[in-house]
Amino acid sequence: MSKPCRTRPQPRRLVGGLSIVELMVGITISLFILAGASMVLTTQLDSNRRLLLEAQLQQDLRTTADMISRDVRRAGYWGKAYCNVWPASRDDTANCPIANPYNNMLPDAAPDGTPSLEYERSTDAEDAGTYNREDNRVDGALYRPREHVGFQWNQAAGTIEYLVTAGNWQTLTDPAVMRVTQFTMVLNRRVLPVPCAGAGCQARGPNCDGPMSVQSRDLTFTIVARSKHDANVQRSLSETVRLRNSIPVEQC
């Protein structure tokens, strides 16, 4: 009689999990990855914040420079500028020639580092009504003090100010956005000859009828400012403005 065959028992497999060492290694690697991702995210956010501050600072500097340029360019404006010389034909030639009453600029020669500038320009019109009619003088009345203006640097407040009326300086820059650390101006003057300023020419002065030359002026100003929220964000801007109203100078 044959004996039944017996199957050999299979060895029991041991089901194992993560050891404490493997778990610690996995957590360590995960922490390194998380720290790297956090660092990249923090750097990105800081760069984005800095970029926004730089853009805001640059925009405010450009706006301030545009306002200064537009106003300074009008220094010495006068509705009757033709009266600086004998006009060829004009209805009121009997009242000419008259020296331009809006030529004053303080300081008269602004060297490098000048933080304040005051000047005059007419806001009247020659053929306007009673209120705005050109009166050939710098308005000093309380209700018309707008023809003497200027700009200055308030170092203590870190702002640039604009002269609105006599002694009334108003802040032009926003101290909550930026702090101005430098505001300097340089006024340059050049004397240019008038081509026809000779005998029999209409370009004759109001005092001695002598030949004339023209004093051309340009102003170079520099603004340096830093962000109020981050002192490391700093920008500078420099611009040169040609004054449109030159000053006739007699050569008696």
Side-chain angles (χ1 to χ4, degrees), residues 115-220:
S116 178
L117 184 71
E118 298 182 28
Y119 52 93
E120 297 163 352
R121 78 282 193 278
S122 175
T123 58
D124 301 328
E126 180 182 357
D127 299 321
T130 304
Y131 181 78
N132 260 358
R133 183 179 296 277
E134 181 59 68
D135 53 4
N136 301 325
R137 68 182 182 88
V138 180
D139 294 335
L142 293 177
Y143 58 94
R144 299 177 68 184
R146 61 191 180 276
E147 294 186 336
H148 183 88
V149 294
F151 295 93
Q152 74 173 6
W153 175 37
N154 188 332
Q155 185 174 2
T159 58
I160 296 177
E161 298 177 336
Y162 177 65
L163 180 61
V164 181
T165 58
N168 184 13
W169 293 90
Q170 289 190 1
T171 302
L172 186 63
T173 57
D174 188 357
V177 174
M178 66 179 184
R179 181 176 182 85
V180 179
T181 58
Q182 178 185 344
F183 178 55
T184 56
M185 292 167 284
V186 180
L187 181 64
N188 300 312
R189 297 173 182 264
R190 295 185 302 274
V191 178
L192 306 174
V194 177
C196 69
C201 178
Q202 294 296 333
R204 294 177 295 171
N207 296 318
C208 63
D209 290 346
M212 301 188 68
S213 59
V214 174
Q215 189 179 90
S216 174
R217 301 173 293 176
D218 60 80
L219 178 74
T220 300

Side-chain angles (χ1 to χ4, degrees), residues 71-106:
D71 203 274
V72 169
R73 192 177 287 118
R74 297 180 60 238
Y77 169 75
W78 183 31
K80 293 184 178 181
Y82 61 87
C83 278
N84 277 285
V85 296
W86 283 107
S89 60
R90 193 72 182 181
D91 294 338
D92 55 354
T93 52
N95 299 322
C96 292
I98 307 172
N100 188 345
Y102 300 96
N103 280 337
N104 292 330
M105 182 171 283
L106 299 173

Side-chain angles (χ1 to χ4, degrees), residues 19 27 31 33 36 43 50 60 104 106 111 142 150 153 156 173 176 194 198-199 204 221 241 244:
S19 66
I27 293 176
L31 289 177
I33 296 175
T43 304
R50 186 183 181 89
D60 282 18
N104 292 330
L106 299 173
L142 293 177
W153 175 37
T173 57
V194 177
R204 294 177 295 171
F221 62 90
V241 184
R244 293 175 176 172

